[in-house]
């Protein structure tokens, strides 16, 4: 509304109620630009206020009445009726009064928000001449500045004027009466009082309001009026007195409290009046709830903020607030309340709230969100809040405000307060949940090792981890950073992913795998998926440190370097064999991958790795020796053992001998002494309880090589020279004899007897016969000897017969048959 002193030029209808001179009958419409019935409606309603009397000194004319709609013509208007008396009388000599109506259609008056004060100035205090014909007249009605109305309100007392206005909203009749001993103001000032009181109601209420500068004792239904006293059913409001009682209607009371609260907050009545004058939508009856809504609009910002802070609030109200007040104009408190309401609403599924937030997104919005995240309390609560805000922005704000997600994300990860763990987890979460990553976040991961390792731990620990972010980060570091400033875990990641081959160290690998519990197993699984078994060499030191505390490592190594596949790298094979042996041997005993190496270079690499691993670690040396000797001792294994012995003679040879000794003496897996290399045999034979080893070894080797009997006899005689034959040698001789037959043993014994005096060959038979160890052999030898004895008896018989009678036949038939039968009885399968 125009707050200046301008005026509105309008078309006004008019009518006059009165009597013709000398008329004795009742009053009638004398002239009118309106139909008589419509004019009469307003005129008679105004005339019901009564007539002047001597008992009402303040009731002197003119009286002025302001009307909106009536019962018979409820459509809203802005009408005024002035009662005057020019001293004339009717035919009975009684005073003849005149009521003059001026009616403005609401469409024009409401649009201009014309007030009763303006109408009073233009049409009542100095009424224009009526046209000669019954036609509307053109009038100019000045605007009443809201400041003028507010000044009157403040003069009356804001609480008093607000209390009267609220009673009107309660549809009560309010009589303004003078304070005892005080006179009422003149008519013009009374109009200003009536106007000021009604200015504390929405302007549209004037469509049903009615007011009068004075009323007599007659019955009427006007709402607000001056009178000497209130009648029954009416409420008294003493001018200059205390505020009247509160309304009965709850909404009307809320309206009164709202007026007072708004005035107390702003300290400015003018602003309140100015706002209420803008609500010109006509109301045909008091509607306290609607009026309360209008008042709420006057303080919409703070009302909505208070509702939000009390746990309420409506999205439509927040939208209206932001449409009326740009976000840039709001203080931080108000903007914060509105912002977080929209965030909560969007999170609860109101996509429109997210769009509205995007429309009003500013740098201050960003700061508020970040500050709220950091103020959440514990890191866990702060993280949950950050995730919620980022999710809302990504799902509902980003479409209306492209880049808002990245702005919030960067602001959060660059905030100084959170811990490195918080920041790293947030960066991973954003990437994993929404594919949200920024150059700023990536640079932070590369630059801040603690943040990066937390991020890495989240990635490794995720069940469905994607390596795409790790690839991206590796490439960023490769393109933007020198190797010496790249974090160690990232250098190893480059090797693991095949992006680089020679930059990482074992320390880098440990840093990578140590980012999460169970990181060794997870890293091995990634290496398997990436077909990068060579990273096992970098991982080995840490794997050995945690071998007995981290579960699943052996299985992961065996899957990374399967035993059943051809081994092409001696380095990888050695690390895999040694580690699996160190954690209880794996699924297969020994060093199985060693056996599958074929290339000479790979074998040398294998041994080089073992030397490097075990040379300064006694526990690993023990593991390596047990594993090498615990499997099938093939050529590769004995070659590796020999190479290790040469490289580490002082530390490895005693362990090798100890393990061989254990096995050769029956305290471990049986070992074929023929497999023991000569240089180890020499060491082992020096042990006091392995004196038998050399002759046993020599005998078995000679027997295996089918050496002459003389050689076998020599070996046995050499062992015999130191005392009784060792039991293991007797066992070896027994096993050989059972395999080749008693004849071969007999020949060995003959050669022994032929080489040394004292019949050592016969002693060999005696040694075999002692005890129960060689019962089967003893039986075989006895059977053989019986055959030999029978055969020799036959030979002697024949020889004797030839000696007694050279020409005689060799023995008699009965004699020959008896000897032959005896021989056949001792032959295998012979008849008895």
């Amino acid at each position: 509304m125009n707050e200046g002193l301008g005026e509105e030029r309008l078309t006004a209808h008019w009518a006059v109620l009165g009597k013709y001179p000398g008329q004795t009958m009742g009053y009638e419409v004398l002239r009118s630009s309106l139909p008589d019935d419509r004019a009469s409606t307003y005129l008679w309603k105004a005339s019901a206020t009564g007539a002047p009397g001597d008992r009402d000194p303040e009731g002197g004319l003119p009286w002025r009445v302001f009307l909106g709609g009536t019962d018979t013509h409820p459509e809203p208007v802005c009408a005024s009726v002035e009662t005057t008396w020019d001293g004339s009388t009717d035919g009975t000599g009684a005073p003849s009064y005149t009521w003059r109506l001026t009616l403005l259609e609401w469409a024009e008056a409401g649009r201009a928000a014309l007030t009763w004060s303006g109408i009073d100035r233009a049409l009542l205090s100095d009424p224009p001449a009526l046209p000669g014909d019954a036609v509307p007249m053109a009038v100019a009605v000045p605007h009443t500045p809201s400041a003028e109305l507010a000044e009157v309100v403040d003069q009356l007392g804001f609480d008093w004027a607000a209390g009267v206005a609220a009673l009107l909203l309660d549809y009560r009749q309010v009589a303004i009466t003078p304070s005892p001993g005080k006179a009422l103001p003149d008519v013009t000032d009374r109009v200003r009082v009536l106007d000021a009181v009604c200015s504390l109601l929405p302007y549209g209420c004037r469509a049903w309001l009615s007011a009068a500068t004075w009323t007599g004792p007659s019955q009427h239904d006007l709402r607000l009026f001056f009178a000497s006293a209130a009648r029954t059913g009416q409420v008294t409001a003493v001018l200059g007195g205390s505020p009247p009682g509160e309304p009965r209607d709850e909404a009307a009371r809320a309206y009164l409290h709202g007026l007072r609260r708004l005035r107390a907050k702003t300290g400015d009545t003018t602003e309140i009046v100015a706002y209420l004058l803008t609500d010109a939508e006509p109301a045909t009856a008091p509607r306290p709830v609607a009026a309360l809504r209008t008042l709420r609009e006057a303080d919409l910002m703070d009302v909505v903020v208070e509702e939000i802070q009390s746990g309420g609030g409506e999205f439509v109200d927040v939208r209206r607030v932001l449409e009326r007040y740009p976000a840039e104009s709001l203080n931080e408190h108000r903007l914060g309340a509105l912002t977080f309401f929209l965030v909560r609403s969007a999170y609860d599924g109101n996509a429109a709230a997210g769009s509205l937030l995007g429309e009003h997104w500013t740098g201050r919005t960003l700061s508020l969100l970040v500050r709220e995240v950091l103020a959440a309390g514990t890191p866990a609560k702060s993280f949950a809040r950050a995730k919620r805000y980022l999710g809302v922005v990504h799902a509902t704000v980003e479409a209306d405000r492209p880049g808002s997600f990245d702005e919030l994300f960067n602001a959060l990860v660059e905030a100084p307060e959170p811990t490195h763990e918080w920041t790293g987890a947030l960066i991973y979460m954003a990437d994993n949940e929404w594919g949200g990553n920024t150059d700023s976040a990536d640079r932070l991961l590369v630059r801040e090792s603690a943040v990066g390792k937390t991020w890495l731990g989240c990635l490794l620990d995720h069940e469905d981890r994607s390596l795409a972010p790790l690839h991206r980060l590796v490439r960023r570091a490769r393109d933007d950073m020198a190797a010496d400033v790249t974090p160690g875990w990232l250098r190893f990641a480059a090797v693991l992913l095949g992006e680089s081959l020679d930059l990482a160290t074992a320390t880098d690998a440990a840093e990578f795998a140590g980012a999460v519990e169970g990181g060794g197993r997870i890293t091995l699984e990634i290496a398997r998926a990436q077909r990068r078994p060579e990273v096992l060499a970098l991982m080995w030191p840490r794997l050995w440190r945690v071998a007995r505390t981290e579960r699943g490592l052996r299985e992961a190594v065996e899957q990374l370097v399967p035993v059943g596949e051809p081994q092409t790298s001696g380095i990888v094979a050695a690390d895999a064999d040694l580690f699996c042996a160190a954690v209880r041997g794996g699924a297969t005993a020994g060093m199985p991958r060693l056996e599958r190496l074929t290339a000479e270079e790979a074998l040398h690499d294998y041994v080089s790795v073992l030397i490097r691993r075990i040379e300064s670690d006694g526990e690993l040396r023990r593991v390596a020796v047990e594993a090498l000797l615990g499997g099938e001792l093939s050529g590769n294994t004995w070659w590796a053992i020999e190479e290790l012995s040469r490289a580490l003679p002082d530390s490895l040879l005693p362990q090798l001998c100890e393990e061989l000794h254990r096995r050769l003496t029956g305290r471990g897996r049986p070992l074929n002494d023929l497999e023991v290399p000569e240089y180890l045999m020499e060491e082992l034979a020096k042990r006091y309880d392995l004196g038998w080893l050399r002759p046993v070894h020599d005998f078995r080797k000679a027997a295996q090589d089918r050496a002459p009997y003389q050689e076998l006899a020599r070996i046995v005689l050499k062992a015999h020279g130191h005392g009784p034959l060792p039991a293991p040698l007797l066992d070896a001789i027994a096993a050989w004899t059972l395999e080749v037959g008693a004849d071969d043993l007999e020949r060995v014994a003959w050669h022994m007897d032929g080489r040394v005096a004292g019949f050592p060959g016969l002693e060999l038979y005696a040694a075999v016969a002692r005890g129960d160890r060689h019962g089967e052999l003893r039986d075989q030898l006895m059977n053989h000897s019986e055959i030999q004895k029978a055969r020799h008896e036959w030979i002697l018989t024949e020889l004797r017969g030839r000696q007694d009678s050279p020409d005689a036949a060799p023995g008699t038939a009965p004699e020959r048959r008896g000897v032959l039968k005896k021989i056949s009885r001792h032959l295998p399968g012979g008849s008895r």
Side-chain angles (χ1 to χ4, degrees), residues 188-422:
T188 298
D189 286 338
R190 294 182 200 179
V191 172
R192 296 178 67 213
V193 170
L194 299 174
D195 207 11
V197 168
C198 292
S199 72
L200 294 181
L201 294 172
Y203 181 86
C205 290
R206 295 171 189 253
W208 59 264
L209 277 171
S210 56
T213 58
W214 190 257
T215 58
S218 59
Q219 196 73 24
H220 62 82
D221 60 1
L222 299 181
R223 298 290 99 193
L224 179 64
F225 47 88
F226 283 88
S228 58
R231 295 173 57 87
T232 302
Q234 297 175 343
V235 178
T236 298
V238 179
L239 189 64
S242 301
E246 292 192 353
R248 296 167 296 189
D249 181 80
E250 182 178 354
R253 286 199 306 275
Y255 186 88
L256 172 60
H257 296 159
L259 279 175
R260 291 172 175 168
R261 183 174 61 250
L262 185 58
R263 177 62 172 75
K265 182 176 68 177
T266 64
D268 184 4
T269 306
T270 302
E271 184 179 345
I272 299 173
V273 171
Y275 178 77
L276 292 173
L277 287 175
T278 63
D279 186 8
E281 184 66 25
T284 57
R287 295 192 178 94
V289 173
L292 185 59
R293 283 198 300 267
T294 299
L295 181 62
R296 187 171 179 270
E297 290 293 317
D299 192 27
L300 182 62
M301 169 63 71
D302 288 340
V303 169
V304 170
V305 168
E306 290 173 7
E307 290 177 349
I308 290 172
Q309 291 177 331
S310 299
E314 297 292 337
F315 170 69
V316 293
D317 293 333
V318 173
R319 180 168 57 191
R320 287 191 299 110
V321 166
L322 290 174
E323 289 171 350
R324 186 180 301 174
Y325 306 99
E328 293 84 353
S329 69
L330 303 179
N331 63 33
E332 194 165 282
H333 170 72
R334 291 169 171 174
L335 180 61
L338 300 176
T339 297
F340 296 121
F341 174 85
L342 291 177
V343 170
R344 288 193 298 272
S345 299
Y347 184 75
D348 292 337
N350 185 350
S355 296
L356 185 61
L357 184 61
E359 293 174 16
H360 296 274
W361 185 273
T362 68
R364 295 175 64 211
T365 307
L366 191 66
S367 299
L368 285 169
L369 292 174
V370 173
R371 188 184 67 187
E372 192 74 3
V373 166
L374 301 180
T378 66
K381 291 180 180 179
S382 175
F383 189 88
R385 186 172 291 176
K387 181 177 181 180
R388 184 163 65 250
Y389 290 175
L390 284 170
V392 166
V393 172
H394 183 272
T396 63
V397 178
E398 182 74 13
D400 293 278
R401 174 77 181 193
S404 55
F405 178 87
D406 286 355
E407 290 177 9
L408 178 58
F409 178 52
N410 285 337
L412 287 172
V413 300
E414 292 173 355
E417 288 86 356
T419 63
H420 290 154
E421 291 78 8
W422 187 96

Side-chain angles (χ1 to χ4, degrees), residues 49-66:
T49 57
D54 295 338
R55 290 174 297 178
D56 292 329
E58 288 91 350
L61 295 176
W63 290 357
R64 291 166 186 168
V65 176
F66 300 94

Side-chain angles (χ1 to χ4, degrees), residues 42 110 127 163 217 223 241 333 402 455 505 510 607 639 667 807:
Y42 302 103
R223 298 290 99 193
H333 170 72
W455 174 89
T505 65
V607 171
W639 180 85
R667 288 177 290 154
D807 298 328

Side-chain angles (χ1 to χ4, degrees), residues 72 135 173 180 241-242 254 259 266 333 347 452 498 502 536 687 699 704:
T72 55
V135 295
Q173 285 185 288
S242 301
L259 279 175
T266 64
H333 170 72
Y347 184 75
D502 55 0
L536 183 59
R687 301 199 172 205
F699 182 87
Q704 184 184 49

